Amino acid sequence: MTEVVAALIWDGDRFLACQRPAHKARGLLWEFVGGKVEPGETREQALVRECREELAITVSVKEVFWEVTHTYPDLTVHLTLFHAAIADGVPQRLEHNDLRWVTVEEMDALEFCPADEPILDEIRRRKAEGC
């Protein structure tokens, strides 16, 4: 089981979506910024590091939004998605193929990684309930 963290970063009614590089597993699929938790790191520390490495931003990590375990053909991940806010910097495309701020309505036009689908369902549900 691989521990993975990601950030749900909102800007008004839009959240940040990142497109994976073509050469990586699940290439060109969309995801939330994040990555693997390294030995000795807390999940929060890993998320701060990943956001710095991938987007050149510093994030303030908030509460957990959702957790999911998903099995891909090559690995099983336990993904923890945190609410996060940009504390410093502007997102830059250092590792991703593309970055987009998308609304809940626009997210269906993007093909996200399968592990993110339950999270997208929860985002839809909360928006429908006005949360």
Side-chain angles (χ1 to χ4, degrees):
M1 177 90 58
T2 302
E3 285 293 326
V4 177
V5 292
L8 178 55
I9 303 171
W10 290 94
D11 179 17
D13 66 344
R14 302 175 307 156
F15 66 87
L16 185 61
C18 304
Q19 188 179 40
R20 293 180 61 81
H23 67 277
K24 287 199 171 181
R26 289 158 286 289
L28 300 180
L29 295 181
W30 291 84
E31 65 182 0
F32 300 94
V33 63
K36 295 177 185 169
V37 178
E38 299 294 337
E41 281 183 320
T42 66
R43 295 179 304 169
E44 293 84 354
Q45 290 168 335
L47 189 54
V48 169
R49 176 185 51 76
E50 289 285 351
C51 288
R52 190 176 311 114
E53 290 173 358
E54 295 183 4
L55 300 176
I57 60 172
T58 301
V59 294
S60 171
V61 180
K62 311 290 186 190
E63 70 277 2
V64 172
F65 177 82
W66 201 254
E67 292 187 61
V68 64
T69 300
H70 184 83
T71 300
Y72 289 106
D74 57 330
L75 81 160
T76 298
V77 296
H78 176 256
L79 168 62
T80 304
L81 182 73
F82 288 91
H83 282 289
I86 297 174
D88 187 52
V90 175
Q92 298 175 41
R93 193 170 37 92
L94 301 180
E95 291 191 16
H96 292 93
N97 187 62
D98 197 5
L99 304 174
R100 288 190 196 166
W101 291 98
V102 297
T103 65
V104 173
E105 295 76 21
E106 294 168 338
M107 71 185 186
D108 289 332
L110 304 179
E111 188 178 353
F112 275 80
C113 292
D116 292 331
E117 289 301 329
I119 293 166
L120 299 172
D121 289 343
E122 182 63 13
I123 291 172
R124 278 186 209 92
R125 186 190 70 76
R126 291 188 189 191
K127 170 127 171 94
E129 292 180 357
C131 299

